[in-house]
Amino acid sequence: MTLAESPTIILPIPAATIAAQASVGDRGVRATEFSAYVARPEGPPRGALVVIHEIWGLVEHITGIADRFAAEGYLVIAPDLLSSIGISEQVGLEAYAIMNSPDESVRSNGQPLLRAAFASLNVPEFGAWALAALGSSVDYLAEQPGIDGRIAVTGFCFGGGYSFALAAADPRIRAAVPFYGVPPETATISTISCAVLAFYGETDTRLIDSLLEVTAAMQAAGVDFTAKIYENAGHAFFNDTSALMYRADAAVDSWQRTLAFLETALKA
């Protein structure tokens, strides 16, 4: 494998974002660049896709999903949004192990560690930095030969929320597929110009309880929004590394629906 074919690339954060982050002091993210995993198709791409990881960071589960999309013919970039605030792959895996431990005492005793590790995610300046990184990811895809503007986004949990956010912030996104993601504020929904296919598990009450309101806001804004709810499934049903949350039937069906949706949305 040549350097040009390396699956990991480094992309810059826009100078304006760096300046804005510096102006807020400790609340800002100091990283001026970020890494991303790139998965390339064997032949000419059928389009391009930003894959946004869960709250655990850019772990092997997510790069594996990127590879699966590449095998379907898509050029894929999976940016690492969390190493910039100290959540490396190793930290993410440790936090994931705590959260998914069958031992309730491990989960309970690990809560202070989890709160400390993820505290920065709630700072507005991190959200601005992450959107800037996602914009740079779209820039990269837009410059690649054969893409011709055929760019979509998908993501899971944390990444599902940022899939909504990127669709609202960047008109170059032609399709969005959030998996159990928190939608943007109602006022921001009106800036989504692409079709959205969103997946939910029926027992994920935090999201299901607000889905009617979200659907109404999407309809009022004229967004082509489709929500698919899976019975007997909850949050993270697509994550096959979690024995507690994974639901094979929902994962298989949502994968097939995603491919069909992208095929239609990204036609040249």
Side-chain angles (χ1 to χ4, degrees), residues 20-84:
Q21 294 286 309
S23 71
V24 297
D26 291 342
R27 295 181 305 168
V29 182
R30 289 182 169 78
T32 60
E33 60 186 20
F34 64 99
S35 65
Y37 179 86
V38 176
R40 299 175 173 86
E42 289 291 334
R46 347 171 36 160
L49 189 63
V50 181
V51 173
I52 311 175
H53 55 67
E54 295 176 302
I55 199 172
W56 319 114
L58 188 59
V59 297
E60 187 176 356
H61 170 63
I62 299 299
T63 58
I65 291 173
D67 290 341
R68 288 176 65 185
F69 277 117
E72 296 291 339
Y74 294 95
L75 172 64
V76 184
I77 186 168
D80 179 357
L81 301 180
L82 296 186
S83 289
S84 61

Side-chain angles (χ1 to χ4, degrees), residues 206-240:
R206 184 171 68 96
L207 296 179
I208 292 297
D209 289 349
S210 64
L211 186 54
L212 282 177
E213 181 181 348
V214 170
T215 301
M218 292 283 182
Q219 292 174 342
V223 178
D224 180 359
F225 177 72
T226 301
K228 172 61 180 175
I229 303 171
Y230 290 101
E231 296 180 358
N232 302 314
H235 199 75
F237 66 76
F238 195 84
N239 191 332
D240 59 4

